[in-house]
Amino acid sequence: MSQKTERPVLSGQRIKTRKRDEREKYDPTGFRDAVIAGLEKTEGDLDEISKFLHSAGNKLNYRRYGEVLFDILIAGGLLVPGGSISQDGEKPSTNYCIFKAPEDMESMRNHEQVFVNLMRRYKYLEKMFEEEMKKVLVFIKGFTPDERIKLARMTALWLCNGSVPPSVLLVLNNEHLIKDGIALDFLVELFVTFKQEKGMASLIQTLKKGGLESKLMDFFPPNKRTEEYFKQVFLDKELTEVIKLHKAQASQEAKRELQQTLIDDMNDEKPHSEITTNIKEFAQKTDIPDNEIIVIIWSTIMSLGEWNKKEELVTDQAVRHLKGYCPLFQAFATTDRAEMALILKVQEFCYENMNFMKAFQKIILLFYKTEILSEEVILRWYKENNSVKGKMHFLDQMKKFVEWLQNAEEESESEDEQKNGE
């Protein structure tokens, strides 16, 4: 039987690896050195910097080192935790960056274009830039006051042009940035710049989009979280709309809290007198006006009902349900403004809940008989009804009752005249 002889093997034989299996060593310092060398050749000419960055993307790995690239363009070098620049290497930083640029807005806008052009050319850098900004904003305590001003102004420009979403500002809600007022100073500078660039309305819209409208007070140092100080800070910078936004948001939160308190009290079947006292104390503390209080009471009471789907049954059910809460309505229907707000809210509710379309007149009649609504306010509603929600339907529904009120009023006036004549 023949045996196979082994073939000879050359010593030092190399096993060929596919290029895709080779892993490039992560070398941010080498990338930094290459970028800084290219920037130095431009001598700070921003047009030349844009040209260099466009062409360098074909040779340098922006996909892997995108955040390092932004470190250099913003701070001049490789940022390390805490906000300082790595000093490794012969040339660790460059002066051709935002932190070394003049802080006037013309210079800032010119630098803005470098970033806009770069991300327009390499679209994948947009997401990296968002992550970069989340990192850089956490580092602001390590920057100088001048650097923070420049970064705040540039961040405002990037928000204006959509380079970063406003939600990145939420990273400033960080204890070590808040306690010394650094986060607040940064935001105020950013707000002022944004207002100058795109106007106050756009700033408010951006704050809402980023979910900051309800968190503005959180950026104040704990020992300065007062309404007076909040007002002073933004008045000094002529940012009155921010104060209005804060007040409106605080009012909305107070209303939600009041509604939840009402639901809890009613579910616990507390006496109306106790509920009334609680509401009045809460309203006084939060400055919620009477016309808004009574609307909240209506919405809460109606949310507790389990309504029949049959239109012919729901009217009687609603009247029975509301009868039990008339003392609560009486306690807060103390002004014409509150009464009118209640009528309009009932109208809106009946219009938006179709099963209640025929219940409107019965509900208003109940409130009239229990002296929650006065005839003067009902007649004014009928005459001046400005709500478009089912207007003609409800006016027609109320026609006979209003005619009865008007006749009763005329008879009363006639009787008074006769008495006076006697």
Side-chain angles (χ1 to χ4, degrees):
M1 186 176 176
S2 63
Q3 292 183 340
K4 287 186 178 179
T5 57
E6 293 184 6
R7 292 183 179 182
V9 178
L10 291 172
S11 61
Q13 182 183 13
R14 294 178 62 192
I15 300 172
K16 190 174 182 181
T17 59
R18 295 180 180 179
K19 194 170 185 179
R20 69 186 181 196
D21 294 331
E22 294 176 2
R23 286 193 65 83
E24 178 189 349
K25 179 185 174 185
Y26 184 65
D27 183 20
T29 304
F31 177 86
R32 177 206 65 188
D33 293 344
V35 172
I36 288 179
L39 292 175
E40 293 296 305
K41 291 178 183 176
T42 68
E43 297 183 350
D45 184 297
L46 294 179
D47 288 335
E48 291 300 315
I49 287 176
S50 280
K51 289 177 184 176
F52 161 67
L53 293 173
H54 278 214
S55 61
N58 297 322
K59 304 169 189 173
L60 301 176
N61 192 346
Y62 285 179
R63 285 188 184 275
R64 193 169 193 195
Y65 300 106
E67 288 188 31
V68 177
L69 176 62
F70 289 127
D71 275 1
I72 299 164
L73 297 178
I74 292 171
L78 187 59
L79 286 170
V80 295
S84 60
I85 293 176
S86 169
Q87 295 303 309
D88 293 344
E90 293 181 11
K91 180 72 176 173
S93 63
T94 177
N95 288 329
Y96 305 138
C97 62
I98 289 169
F99 281 1
K100 299 298 182 182
E103 65 181 42
D104 64 279
M105 286 311 299
E106 183 179 358
S107 175
M108 293 292 103
R109 291 189 198 98
N110 290 337
H111 276 79
E112 173 196 10
Q113 287 308 305
V114 172
F115 286 80
V116 170
N117 294 337
L118 176 63
M119 286 184 278
R120 193 175 290 159
R121 172 68 178 82
Y122 299 100
K123 295 289 287 183
Y124 57 82
L125 288 175
E126 290 177 355
K127 185 62 182 173
M128 291 185 190
F129 189 49
E130 181 180 337
E131 296 305 312
E132 167 74 5
M133 287 305 296
K134 288 178 183 177
K135 178 191 76 177
V136 170
L137 292 178
V138 172
F139 290 167
I140 62 172
K141 189 173 183 178
F143 304 151
T144 67
D146 283 347
E147 288 169 351
R148 289 199 288 266
I149 287 173
K150 292 170 188 175
L151 183 61
R153 292 178 179 178
M154 282 305 304
T155 304
L157 294 176
W158 289 326
L159 288 170
C160 287
N161 67 33
S163 293
V164 290
S167 56
V168 300
L169 299 178
L170 293 172
V171 301
L172 294 171
N173 193 349
N174 186 305
E175 185 181 352
H176 82 281
L177 300 178
I178 289 170
K179 64 180 181 179
D180 297 325
I182 292 171
L184 178 60
D185 290 343
F186 185 91
L187 282 178
V188 170
E189 182 66 38
L190 186 153
F191 290 174
V192 169
T193 304
F194 196 112
K195 178 187 174 184
Q196 291 170 350
E197 295 298 308
K198 288 195 76 176
M200 202 67 216
S202 184
L203 171 60
I204 298 302
Q205 187 179 3
T206 298
L207 293 178
K208 290 179 178 178
K209 186 178 177 183
L212 278 87
E213 77 274 26
S214 62
K215 298 179 174 64
L216 293 172
M217 187 67 87
D218 296 347
F219 296 101
F220 281 67
N223 62 336
K224 294 183 177 179
R225 285 179 189 170
T226 65
E227 295 299 324
E228 293 76 16
Y229 188 69
F230 185 98
K231 188 175 179 181
Q232 178 191 330
V233 166
F234 291 108
L235 273 180
D236 287 348
K237 296 295 183 178
E238 299 182 356
L239 294 166
T240 52
E241 292 299 321
V242 174
I243 299 169
K244 290 179 183 176
L245 176 67
H246 170 69
K247 276 189 172 181
Q249 190 62 31
S251 176
Q252 285 299 112
E253 288 177 8
K255 289 174 192 175
R256 283 193 288 270
E257 186 180 343
L258 174 58
Q259 186 158 27
Q260 188 56 53
T261 302
L262 262 173
I263 290 171
D264 293 342
D265 286 354
M266 289 174 183
N267 285 335
D268 292 342
E269 298 182 353
K270 289 184 179 179
H272 287 150
S273 57
E274 186 179 343
I275 295 175
T276 299
T277 301
N278 291 343
I279 295 173
K280 285 184 176 178
E281 288 176 356
F282 189 90
Q284 190 172 11
K285 184 176 68 177
T286 56
D287 290 327
I288 303 177
D290 56 0
N291 58 307
E292 293 181 8
I293 290 283
I294 204 159
V295 165
I296 293 169
I297 292 171
W298 164 271
S299 298
T300 306
I301 289 170
M302 296 306 283
S303 71
L304 297 174
E306 294 182 6
W307 307 112
N308 199 299
K309 293 183 179 180
K310 293 183 179 179
E311 191 175 12
E312 61 272 16
L313 298 177
V314 81
T315 298
D316 292 338
Q317 187 187 7
V319 170
R320 284 196 306 273
H321 179 70
L322 288 165
K323 269 183 182 177
Y325 296 100
C326 283
L328 201 54
F329 284 112
Q330 288 166 349
F332 294 93
T334 54
T335 65
D336 288 356
R337 184 173 68 162
E339 290 183 39
M340 184 62 75
L342 178 58
I343 298 178
L344 291 172
K345 186 61 182 177
V346 176
Q347 178 179 345
E348 178 188 294
F349 180 88
C350 292
Y351 177 75
E352 292 177 353
N353 297 273
M354 297 300 288
N355 288 349
F356 286 82
M357 287 292 280
K358 293 181 180 178
F360 179 78
Q361 189 261 357
K362 291 280 184 71
I363 294 171
I364 299 300
L365 183 58
L366 168 67
F367 287 162
Y368 171 74
K369 287 179 176 178
T370 51
E371 298 184 349
I372 295 166
L373 298 175
S374 64
E375 62 182 76
E376 292 84 0
V377 173
I378 295 172
L379 290 172
R380 196 167 88 239
W381 167 84
Y382 188 82
K383 184 179 178 183
E384 302 173 2
N385 187 354
N386 295 318
S387 175
V388 297
K389 295 187 174 181
K391 178 176 179 178
M392 297 312 298
H393 174 84
F394 295 125
L395 289 178
D396 186 58
Q397 200 177 120
M398 291 290 292
K399 186 176 180 182
K400 288 183 179 179
F401 179 57
V402 166
E403 287 175 352
W404 178 83
L405 284 178
Q406 288 170 333
N407 290 334
E409 189 176 22
E410 288 170 6
E411 287 174 9
S412 177
E413 288 174 358
S414 178
E415 287 175 6
D416 287 344
E417 288 173 4
Q418 287 178 5
K419 286 178 182 178
N420 291 332
E422 292 173 0

